[in-house]
Amino acid sequence: SDSDCVNRVNQAESYIQNTLPARLDATYDAIRAKAPTAKVVVLGYPHMYTLNVFCVGLSDTKHRKIDEAADVLDNVIANRASAHGFVFGDVRTTFNGHELCSGDGWLHSLVYSPSWESYHPTATGHASGYYPVLNANS
């Protein structure tokens, strides 16, 4: 149901805000210790769904909440990356118009085999969405 989904995403947002920062700090500290002079670019997450279009599967309420969680996640990642002197690469603008339900093939929806591809970028999403942001910030 919409309310179950919203509640689960709220729980994920709580984890993102309360637990993830310390885990990112530990990871970023380890990276900095091994590569003290490296320029590190940390890439964020795109919005997953084009809103207000017909899309088989989840409701628009669920789409909005999932995209909201991506914003919360990106804000935490950007903050922690900056605190460690890293560059945050925001891919949301690059992926704008290429989300699930847009008709473009930049993101996988549910994939049964291999299941790990579900909700991850396709080769086109990496090449046209992530790479330009990484290249611009390198």
Side-chain angles (χ1 to χ4, degrees), residues 23-34:
R23 291 184 177 210
L24 290 174
D25 287 344
T27 300
Y28 296 165
D29 286 344
I31 292 168
R32 185 55 75 208
K34 295 286 185 182

Side-chain angles (χ1 to χ4, degrees), residues 37-138:
T37 61
K39 180 173 184 180
V40 178
V41 179
V42 179
L43 298 174
Y45 288 85
H47 287 151
M48 294 301 296
Y49 290 99
T50 298
L51 301 176
N52 302 316
V53 298
F54 175 76
C55 187
V56 175
L58 303 177
S59 69
D60 200 51
T61 297
K62 293 172 184 172
H63 294 169
R64 285 183 194 289
K65 189 62 179 174
I66 291 167
D67 285 352
E68 175 191 294
D71 291 337
V72 172
L73 182 58
D74 281 342
N75 290 338
V76 168
I77 293 170
N79 180 280
R80 299 322 312 143
S82 177
H84 288 81
F86 297 169
V87 175
F88 177 73
D90 191 342
V91 300
R92 288 173 288 191
T93 300
T94 307
F95 272 84
N96 189 31
H98 305 285
E99 304 89 344
L100 293 173
C101 307
S102 69
D104 287 349
W106 285 36
L107 295 166
H108 291 287
S109 58
L110 181 62
V111 176
Y112 292 102
S113 181
S115 62
W116 57 264
E117 285 187 348
S118 295
Y119 305 103
H120 285 86
T122 63
T124 301
H126 281 289
S128 300
Y130 275 98
Y131 181 70
V133 174
L134 175 63
N135 192 42
N137 287 289
S138 297

